Amino acid sequence: MDQPSPHHRSTIFLLFMSLWIIYGILNQYNSLHAITFDPTTVVWSQEVLKIILSLILFFIQDGGLPILYSQVKQHARIMMMWYLIPAGLYALGDVLMYVNLRSFDPATLHLLGEMKLVVTAIVHQCLFQKMLNKWHWLALLIITTGCVVKAVDSLELTMSSDIDDVTTASIDNLGLGDGETTADSNSGTHELTNTMPRPTLSTLFFNFALIGMHIMTSTVAGVFNEKLLKDKPSICINLQNLCLYINGMVFLTFGMLVGVSEHDKSITEALSPANLEALFSQRSILLMAGTMSIAGIVTSRFLKVFDSISKSVAVALVVVSLPLLSRLLFGTPITTKMIISLVMVVAGMQLYTSQPPPNRTDTHDGSGNGGKNVANDRYHDAKDKDDEAVLFLPAIALPGDCDIETHSHNGEEHYTSVLQQELPERVPQSALSKETKYSGRMYTHVTTA
């Protein structure tokens, strides 16, 4: 499969960011105007709309009913089984979220949830066997610190007012959301009054363990979804989305049937005529549900082009940028910590994107030749004014019969070679040698002989 063009990548990235920003603004608008709604009703409606949108996109991009029937007959059984894993993990994460909201306020949960970016990087590194370098990790720590600064500022505002700051919480909780989740911690108003006695040490440890489980389940679900999208290229993305959303709908409906939802509402309460009327009568709520449904569709495209780490970084940028937009649209105050957090996230994002993408940890192709063969290296286009391409190879995986030079790149030593010959769009496994050139594309899963 060809690598997406820079224009396509930029379009996906900007669309993803725009949808999250629109959602944050709509959520804040609802809070400022005291527009209430049932989160479970909105989430259920979002899942229905995602399924409808996936079907429409399948008919437009992949074919009509005969093609859908053929694809379902060929792949659906396997895909439905595979997608039970991320859908089930998302559902478990939703249950843990509701449990945690009874022990912590949303602002505190968001502060503790900022570790999700680091956890995402660790899980992504394990599942995809791609090692981040020290600059990647430094960038992620800077971004995480920036988000923590923003969360601390929100927590201070909440404590100073002695009530839940709904506006702040609605913005900050964006960092906990996923475009594919079956429940939404950001919707509605969490008015929790802490009347519980001071917890014991064992209870406090248990509560923090539940927060860790929530972070881990939602993170693994997102990264596993990315792995399915990338490891099953023969199955169109719209069918994969259908499998995820149908499984998600099953888990969500089951949770509603047993009362595991916001404020333990049953399915009859969540889908009551009054709640459905509120959903369709309030334009801002309907727009918010539609925005998140489209965001779920776009998120799968984002994961296909980028990865889960980039997604978390992009959401972090949205979270710290929203206060500036809120200032312009709603006149909300800007604090020093908000500015500091924005600067830190932007700086961390710039550092992260300036590095070459992570390399795979495997350094041979199983042939027993060790460094003689390098499987799954990433070849990156680093064209200069003379239109020369640079080949990055990890030092430990330098092929013994490859005569290439060394140079420094961002403080680290890399092996480089100016390659001479243009390749076709699809490159066979052992086609690359020191005499070969690729033209403006990044190839993966290739072996240097």
Coordinates of all heavy atoms in Angstrom, one line a residue, residues 119-163:
V119 N 1.9 6.2 29.2 CA 1.5 4.8 29.1 C 1.2 4.4 27.7 O 1.5 3.3 27.3 CB 0.2 4.6 30.0 CG1 -0.4 3.2 29.8 CG2 0.5 4.9 31.5
T120 N 0.6 5.3 26.9 CA 0.4 5.1 25.5 C 1.7 4.8 24.8 O 1.8 3.8 24.0 CB -0.3 6.3 24.8 OG1 -1.6 6.5 25.4 CG2 -0.5 6.0 23.3
A121 N 2.7 5.6 25.1 CA 4.0 5.3 24.4 C 4.6 4.0 24.8 O 5.2 3.3 23.9 CB 5.0 6.5 24.8
I122 N 4.5 3.6 26.1 CA 5.0 2.3 26.5 C 4.2 1.1 25.8 O 4.9 0.2 25.3 CB 4.9 2.2 28.0 CG1 5.8 3.2 28.7 CG2 5.3 0.8 28.5 CD1 5.7 3.3 30.2
V123 N 2.9 1.2 25.8 CA 2.1 0.2 25.2 C 2.3 0.1 23.7 O 2.5 -1.0 23.1 CB 0.6 0.4 25.5 CG1 -0.3 -0.6 24.8 CG2 0.3 0.3 27.0
H124 N 2.4 1.3 23.1 CA 2.7 1.3 21.6 C 4.0 0.7 21.3 O 4.2 -0.1 20.3 CB 2.6 2.7 21.1 CG 2.6 2.9 19.7 ND1 3.7 2.9 18.9 CD2 1.5 3.0 18.8 CE1 3.4 3.0 17.6 NE2 2.0 3.1 17.5
Q125 N 5.0 1.0 22.1 CA 6.4 0.4 21.9 C 6.4 -1.1 22.0 O 7.1 -1.8 21.3 CB 7.3 1.0 23.0 CG 8.8 0.7 22.8 CD 9.7 1.5 23.7 OE1 10.2 2.5 23.3 NE2 9.8 1.1 24.9
C126 N 5.6 -1.6 23.0 CA 5.5 -3.1 23.2 C 4.8 -3.8 22.0 O 5.2 -4.8 21.5 CB 4.8 -3.4 24.5 SG 5.8 -2.9 25.9
L127 N 3.6 -3.2 21.6 CA 2.8 -3.9 20.6 C 3.4 -3.8 19.2 O 3.3 -4.7 18.4 CB 1.4 -3.3 20.6 CG 0.4 -3.8 21.7 CD1 -1.0 -3.2 21.5 CD2 0.3 -5.3 21.8
F128 N 4.0 -2.7 18.9 CA 4.6 -2.5 17.6 C 6.1 -2.7 17.5 O 6.6 -2.7 16.4 CB 4.3 -1.1 17.1 CG 2.9 -0.9 16.7 CD1 1.9 -0.5 17.6 CD2 2.5 -1.1 15.3 CE1 0.6 -0.3 17.2 CE2 1.2 -0.9 14.9 CZ 0.2 -0.5 15.9
Q129 N 6.7 -3.0 18.7 CA 8.1 -3.3 18.7 C 8.9 -2.2 18.1 O 9.8 -2.4 17.3 CB 8.4 -4.7 18.1 CG 7.8 -5.8 18.8 CD 8.1 -7.2 18.1 OE1 8.6 -7.2 17.0 NE2 8.0 -8.2 18.8
K130 N 8.6 -1.0 18.4 CA 9.3 0.2 17.9 C 9.8 1.0 19.1 O 9.1 1.4 20.0 CB 8.4 1.1 17.1 CG 7.9 0.4 15.8 CD 7.0 1.4 15.0 CE 6.5 0.7 13.7 NZ 5.6 1.6 12.9
M131 N 11.1 1.2 19.1 CA 11.8 1.9 20.2 C 11.8 3.4 20.0 O 12.3 3.9 19.0 CB 13.2 1.3 20.4 CG 13.3 -0.2 20.7 SD 12.5 -0.6 22.3 CE 13.6 0.3 23.4
L132 N 11.4 4.1 21.0 CA 11.5 5.5 21.0 C 12.9 5.9 21.5 O 13.5 5.3 22.4 CB 10.5 6.2 22.0 CG 9.0 5.9 21.6 CD1 8.1 6.5 22.7 CD2 8.6 6.5 20.3
N133 N 13.5 6.9 20.9 CA 14.8 7.4 21.4 C 14.7 8.3 22.5 O 13.6 8.7 22.9 CB 15.6 8.0 20.2 CG 15.0 9.3 19.7 OD1 14.4 10.0 20.4 ND2 15.2 9.5 18.4
K134 N 15.8 8.8 23.1 CA 15.8 9.6 24.3 C 15.1 10.9 24.0 O 14.4 11.5 24.9 CB 17.2 9.8 24.8 CG 18.1 10.5 23.8 CD 19.5 10.7 24.4 CE 20.4 11.4 23.4 NZ 21.8 11.4 23.9
W135 N 15.1 11.5 22.8 CA 14.5 12.7 22.5 C 13.0 12.6 22.4 O 12.2 13.5 22.8 CB 15.1 13.3 21.2 CG 16.5 13.6 21.3 CD1 17.5 12.9 20.6 CD2 17.2 14.6 22.1 NE1 18.8 13.4 21.0 CE2 18.6 14.4 21.9 CE3 16.7 15.5 23.0 CZ2 19.5 15.2 22.5 CZ3 17.6 16.3 23.6 CH2 19.0 16.2 23.4
H136 N 12.5 11.4 21.9 CA 11.1 11.1 21.9 C 10.6 11.2 23.3 O 9.5 11.8 23.6 CB 10.8 9.8 21.3 CG 11.0 9.7 19.8 ND1 11.7 8.7 19.2 CD2 10.5 10.5 18.8 CE1 11.6 9.0 17.8 NE2 10.9 10.0 17.6
W137 N 11.3 10.5 24.2 CA 10.8 10.4 25.6 C 10.9 11.7 26.3 O 10.0 12.1 27.1 CB 11.7 9.4 26.4 CG 11.3 7.9 26.1 CD1 12.1 7.0 25.4 CD2 10.1 7.3 26.4 NE1 11.4 5.8 25.3 CE2 10.2 5.9 25.9 CE3 8.9 7.6 27.0 CZ2 9.2 5.0 26.0 CZ3 7.9 6.7 27.2 CH2 8.1 5.4 26.7
L138 N 11.9 12.5 26.0 CA 12.0 13.8 26.6 C 10.8 14.7 26.1 O 10.2 15.4 26.9 CB 13.3 14.5 26.2 CG 13.5 15.9 26.7 CD1 13.5 16.0 28.2 CD2 14.8 16.5 26.2
A139 N 10.5 14.6 24.8 CA 9.4 15.4 24.3 C 8.1 15.0 24.9 O 7.2 15.8 25.3 CB 9.3 15.2 22.8
L140 N 7.8 13.7 25.1 CA 6.6 13.2 25.7 C 6.5 13.7 27.2 O 5.4 14.0 27.7 CB 6.5 11.7 25.6 CG 6.4 11.1 24.2 CD1 6.3 9.6 24.3 CD2 5.1 11.7 23.5
L141 N 7.6 13.7 27.9 CA 7.6 14.1 29.3 C 7.3 15.6 29.4 O 6.6 16.1 30.3 CB 9.0 13.8 30.0 CG 9.2 12.3 30.2 CD1 10.7 12.1 30.8 CD2 8.2 11.8 31.2
I142 N 7.9 16.4 28.4 CA 7.6 17.8 28.4 C 6.1 18.1 28.2 O 5.5 18.9 28.8 CB 8.4 18.5 27.3 CG1 9.9 18.5 27.7 CG2 8.0 20.0 27.1 CD1 10.8 19.0 26.6
I143 N 5.5 17.3 27.2 CA 4.1 17.5 26.9 C 3.3 17.1 28.1 O 2.3 17.7 28.5 CB 3.7 16.6 25.7 CG1 4.4 17.1 24.4 CG2 2.2 16.6 25.5 CD1 4.3 16.2 23.2
T144 N 3.6 15.9 28.7 CA 2.9 15.5 29.9 C 2.9 16.5 31.0 O 1.9 16.8 31.7 CB 3.4 14.1 30.4 OG1 3.3 13.2 29.4 CG2 2.7 13.6 31.6
T145 N 4.1 17.1 31.3 CA 4.3 18.1 32.3 C 3.4 19.3 32.0 O 2.8 19.9 32.9 CB 5.8 18.5 32.4 OG1 6.6 17.4 32.7 CG2 5.9 19.5 33.5
G146 N 3.4 19.7 30.7 CA 2.5 20.8 30.3 C 1.1 20.6 30.6 O 0.4 21.4 31.1
C147 N 0.6 19.3 30.3 CA -0.8 19.0 30.6 C -1.0 18.9 32.1 O -2.1 19.3 32.6 CB -1.1 17.6 30.0 SG -1.1 17.7 28.2
V148 N -0.1 18.5 32.9 CA -0.2 18.5 34.3 C -0.3 19.9 34.9 O -1.2 20.2 35.8 CB 1.0 17.7 35.0 CG1 1.0 17.9 36.5 CG2 0.9 16.2 34.7
V149 N 0.5 20.8 34.3 CA 0.4 22.2 34.8 C -1.0 22.7 34.5 O -1.6 23.4 35.3 CB 1.5 23.0 34.0 CG1 1.2 24.5 34.3 CG2 2.9 22.7 34.5
K150 N -1.5 22.4 33.3 CA -2.9 22.9 33.0 C -3.9 22.2 33.9 O -4.9 22.9 34.4 CB -3.2 22.5 31.5 CG -4.6 22.8 31.1 CD -4.9 24.3 31.1 CE -6.3 24.5 30.5 NZ -7.4 24.0 31.4
A151 N -3.8 21.0 34.2 CA -4.7 20.3 35.1 C -4.6 20.8 36.5 O -5.6 21.0 37.2 CB -4.4 18.8 35.1
V152 N -3.4 21.1 37.0 CA -3.2 21.7 38.3 C -3.9 23.1 38.4 O -4.6 23.4 39.4 CB -1.7 21.9 38.7 CG1 -1.5 22.7 39.9 CG2 -1.1 20.5 38.9
D153 N -3.8 23.9 37.3 CA -4.5 25.2 37.3 C -6.0 25.0 37.4 O -6.6 25.7 38.1 CB -4.1 25.9 36.0 CG -4.7 27.3 35.9 OD1 -4.3 28.1 36.6 OD2 -5.6 27.4 35.0
S154 N -6.5 24.0 36.6 CA -8.0 23.8 36.7 C -8.4 23.3 38.1 O -9.4 23.7 38.6 CB -8.3 22.7 35.6 OG -7.9 23.1 34.4
L155 N -7.5 22.5 38.7 CA -7.9 21.9 40.0 C -7.9 23.1 41.0 O -8.7 23.1 41.9 CB -6.9 20.9 40.4 CG -7.1 20.1 41.7 CD1 -8.5 19.4 41.6 CD2 -6.0 19.1 42.0
E156 N -6.9 24.0 40.9 CA -6.9 25.2 41.8 C -8.1 26.0 41.6 O -8.7 26.6 42.6 CB -5.6 26.0 41.5 CG -4.3 25.3 42.0 CD -3.1 26.1 41.6 OE1 -3.2 27.1 40.8 OE2 -2.0 25.7 42.1
L157 N -8.6 26.2 40.4 CA -9.8 27.0 40.2 C -11.0 26.3 40.8 O -11.8 27.0 41.4 CB -10.0 27.2 38.6 CG -9.0 28.1 37.9 CD1 -9.3 28.0 36.4 CD2 -9.1 29.5 38.4
T158 N -11.0 25.0 40.7 CA -12.1 24.2 41.3 C -12.1 24.4 42.8 O -13.2 24.6 43.4 CB -12.0 22.8 40.8 OG1 -12.1 22.7 39.4 CG2 -13.2 22.0 41.4
M159 N -10.9 24.2 43.4 CA -10.9 24.3 44.8 C -11.1 25.7 45.3 O -11.8 25.9 46.4 CB -9.5 23.8 45.3 CG -9.2 22.4 45.0 SD -7.5 21.9 45.4 CE -7.5 22.1 47.2
S160 N -10.7 26.7 44.6 CA -10.9 28.1 45.0 C -12.4 28.5 45.0 O -12.8 29.3 45.8 CB -10.1 29.1 44.2 OG -10.6 29.0 42.8
S161 N -13.1 27.9 44.1 CA -14.6 28.2 44.0 C -15.4 27.3 44.9 O -16.6 27.4 45.0 CB -15.0 28.1 42.6 OG -14.9 26.8 42.1
D162 N -14.7 26.2 45.4 CA -15.3 25.2 46.3 C -16.5 24.5 45.7 O -17.3 23.9 46.3 CB -15.9 25.9 47.6 CG -16.1 25.0 48.7 OD1 -15.3 24.0 48.8 OD2 -17.0 25.2 49.5
I163 N -16.5 24.5 44.3 CA -17.5 23.7 43.5 C -16.8 23.2 42.3 O -15.7 23.6 42.0 CB -18.7 24.5 43.1 CG1 -18.3 25.7 42.3 CG2 -19.5 25.0 44.3 CD1 -19.4 26.5 41.7

